[in-house]
Amino acid sequence: NAGVTQTPKFQVLKTGQSMTLQCAQDMNHNSMYWYRQDPGMGLRLIYYSASEGTTDKGEVPNGYNVSRLNKREFSLRLESAAPSQTSVYFCASSETPSTGDEQYFGPGTRLTVT
Amino acid sequence: QKEVEQNSGPLSVPEGAIASLNCTYSDRGSQSFFWYRQYSGKSPELIMFIYSNGDKEDGRFTAQLNKASQYVSLLIRDSQPSDSATYLCAVANAGNMLTFGGGTRLMVKP
């Protein structure tokens, strides 16, 4: 049981390049989330998926797109990377979208955009 | 805009002392409150959650919630060097969306 896995662990992009961050969970959870964490700041929600087939914007969605590929997988795409998107990206999942349901976090992807 | 505020620290305490971490939030409709611990370079891990006013104890950890004052705290008794980490306060609203504070860095000195 791996929990929440993310690939890649590290990535360096040039401004304008695109890439997709992958996230998968093996806990049969219904809800999945993408956060970013900048130095000295807490995590901020980018997008979430309450259940398979649904996605919604979080606090900072601009510049990102997501796909809930199936119940296990939730990907985050940067179409045209900008230096402001340099951050650590965490994927999380919870059993349900009910308020207060514990979220389990993946190990993170460290992205640098030059 | 919903806000969660924490003192960034560092909060330095000697080994064996009580560490007190505080958090305030702006949204009175907030329903659930969480404390996550994050070691440097690692992902957040949940250590406590609290839904109702009052205290909730789990081992060396006690979470305190005062909804009238919009205040959440975490007490760590008998602090150990292994408790040195950043502690993130998070508040959940409808749809289980978490709003995080910036975190308080705790240093426990042997």
Side-chain angles (χ1 to χ4, degrees), chain B residues 56-109:
Chain B
K56 179 181 179 182
E57 187 174 319
D58 184 0
R60 295 187 296 113
F61 299 95
T62 299
Q64 300 174 316
L65 174 61
N66 184 326
K67 288 187 177 180
S69 300
Q70 296 175 244
Y71 179 89
V72 192
S73 65
L74 178 70
L75 301 177
I76 306 175
R77 289 181 298 282
D78 188 24
S79 296
Q80 301 297 310
S82 59
D83 294 326
S84 297
T86 296
Y87 289 79
L88 301 168
C89 173
V91 174
N93 297 289
N96 207 27
M97 289 185 283
L98 293 179
T99 300
F100 283 84
T104 297
R105 183 174 163 220
L106 173 65
M107 298 173 59
V108 181
K109 297 189 174 181

Side-chain angles (χ1 to χ4, degrees), chain A residues 71-91:
Chain A
K71 192 173 185 179
R72 289 187 62 248
E73 298 172 288
F74 188 38
S75 63
L76 178 72
R77 183 161 178 83
L78 287 70
E79 290 291 352
S80 178
S84 60
Q85 295 177 304
T86 293
S87 190
V88 180
Y89 291 85
F90 290 102
C91 177

Side-chain angles (χ1 to χ4, degrees), chain A residues 22-26 28-32 49-55 66-75 93:
Chain A
Q22 306 287 354
C23 174
Q25 51 90 11
D26 63 1
N28 200 35
H29 284 175
N30 289 290
S31 303
M32 299 184 75
S49 171
S51 60
E52 186 179 357
T54 69
T55 61
V66 291
S67 295
R68 183 75 183 266
L69 303 170
N70 48 54
K71 192 173 185 179
R72 289 187 62 248
E73 298 172 288
F74 188 38
S75 63
S93 70

Side-chain angles (χ1 to χ4, degrees), chain A residues 30-48:
Chain A
N30 289 290
S31 303
M32 299 184 75
Y33 313 82
W34 276 107
Y35 294 89
R36 61 178 286 174
Q37 184 175 32
D38 301 307
M41 299 182 70
L43 285 74
R44 291 183 291 169
L45 183 65
I46 305 171
Y47 271 93
Y48 67 101

Side-chain angles (χ1 to χ4, degrees), chain A residues 33 37 42 99-101 103 106 110, chain B residues 38 41 43 51 93 96-97 101:
Chain A
Y33 313 82
Q37 184 175 32
T99 302
D101 203 10
Q103 294 186 22
R110 283 150 183 78
Chain B
Q38 186 176 29
S43 58
Y51 303 146
N93 297 289
N96 207 27
M97 289 185 283

